[in-house]
Amino acid sequence: MDSLPNEELDPSKLGNIKYEIISSTSKSAPSISQDYLFKLIIIGNSGVGKSCLMHRVTTNEFSEDHEVTVGVEFGSLLLRMNQEGMDPSVFKLQIWDTAGQESFQSITKIFYRGAHAVLLTYSVASMQSFQNLAHWCNEVRTQSEPDAIVILVGNQADRTGEREVSKEAGEKFARDNNIQFFIETSAKTDMNVTETFIMAAKMLYKKHQNKIRKAKENLIAKARGNKLRRQQ
């Protein structure tokens, strides 16, 4: 997060990337090969709605009585994306919901490794969760991959009468910390939840296009090799 955001990852320039959600955790995955796997982790204080965000986007469900995450929970989205002049690519967005409590932080630190994207999450109804973003930013800097995409998420925006953190404060924090994208969400009302994960997926697709293309070429070459061996 210390480096300036890549201009190519400017959200306003990613609108021409078309996408389709092929399947999620809630559906039986179709028989389709994926070109690449991306790991996305959701971090932040306990109680800011990290698990609710994951469950909303993967199962379209919300529960007021969601139990505290112990360690890590998993979800996934299988997506097809393409840009004009390029072949479509299919990749899985593997979502890791990490526990935000102090007692679990030693467990979850290992799950930062290999993360391609991070949703840095706070509750707009909790100033403490917003103030603790400095701690979580430090965790990202010291534990995650140096080129990981970071998105700042102000969740629980439906709690309008309890708001403690203004939208302007979130925007300023994102600017001050060179975070590529900021958005307010509500897992309860489904406001901007899918949009958040799709934006992460678009940024990953744009950033790693060359890796996706090479992985796809390797899969095609492997399939051709297997076919030739069967014909011999």
Side-chain angles (χ1 to χ4, degrees), residues 124-150:
V124 302
S126 169
M127 180 57 72
Q128 182 181 9
S129 71
F130 182 73
Q131 291 172 339
N132 281 357
L133 288 178
H135 159 75
W136 293 109
C137 276
N138 186 61
E139 288 283 288
V140 173
R141 289 189 182 100
T142 58
Q143 304 293 335
S144 68
E145 301 302 311
D147 63 344
I149 289 171
V150 179

Side-chain angles (χ1 to χ4, degrees), residues 38-165:
F38 289 116
K39 176 181 175 180
L40 178 149
I41 63 173
I42 312 175
I43 64 171
N45 276 22
S46 179
V48 301
K50 300 186 299 297
S51 298
C52 293
L53 287 169
M54 184 186 74
H55 285 289
R56 173 61 82 181
V57 76
T58 58
T59 68
N60 197 29
E61 294 175 354
F62 176 83
S63 173
E64 296 275 10
D65 303 318
H66 189 80
E67 295 181 358
V68 172
T69 302
V70 178
V72 172
E73 275 192 274
F74 299 95
S76 65
L77 292 175
L78 190 65
L79 300 135
R80 179 183 288 111
M81 285 198 170
N82 70 291
Q83 205 168 7
E84 189 175 346
M86 297 186 66
D87 292 332
S89 295
V90 175
F91 61 86
K92 179 180 283 188
L93 189 64
Q94 189 180 72
I95 304 165
W96 299 48
D97 163 32
T98 57
Q101 292 160 297
E102 293 283 339
S103 56
F104 297 126
Q105 283 181 27
S106 60
I107 300 173
T108 57
K109 278 187 178 182
I110 62 171
F111 295 108
Y112 284 89
R113 296 172 193 164
H116 300 94
V118 180
L119 297 191
L120 182 62
T121 312
Y122 68 95
S123 167
V124 302
S126 169
M127 180 57 72
Q128 182 181 9
S129 71
F130 182 73
Q131 291 172 339
N132 281 357
L133 288 178
H135 159 75
W136 293 109
C137 276
N138 186 61
E139 288 283 288
V140 173
R141 289 189 182 100
T142 58
Q143 304 293 335
S144 68
E145 301 302 311
D147 63 344
I149 289 171
V150 179
I151 290 177
L152 180 64
V153 180
N155 193 34
Q156 301 181 343
D158 56 280
R159 298 171 63 181
T160 52
E162 304 168 76
R163 181 182 281 269
E164 296 181 358
V165 185

Side-chain angles (χ1 to χ4, degrees), residues 4-33:
L4 290 174
N6 189 329
E7 288 185 3
E8 292 187 356
L9 300 182
D10 184 341
S12 65
K13 298 179 180 179
L14 302 179
N16 63 339
I17 299 177
K18 298 178 181 178
Y19 73 91
E20 175 191 358
I21 299 177
I22 301 170
S23 70
S24 67
T25 306
S26 63
K27 306 173 188 175
S28 57
S31 178
I32 184 170
S33 62

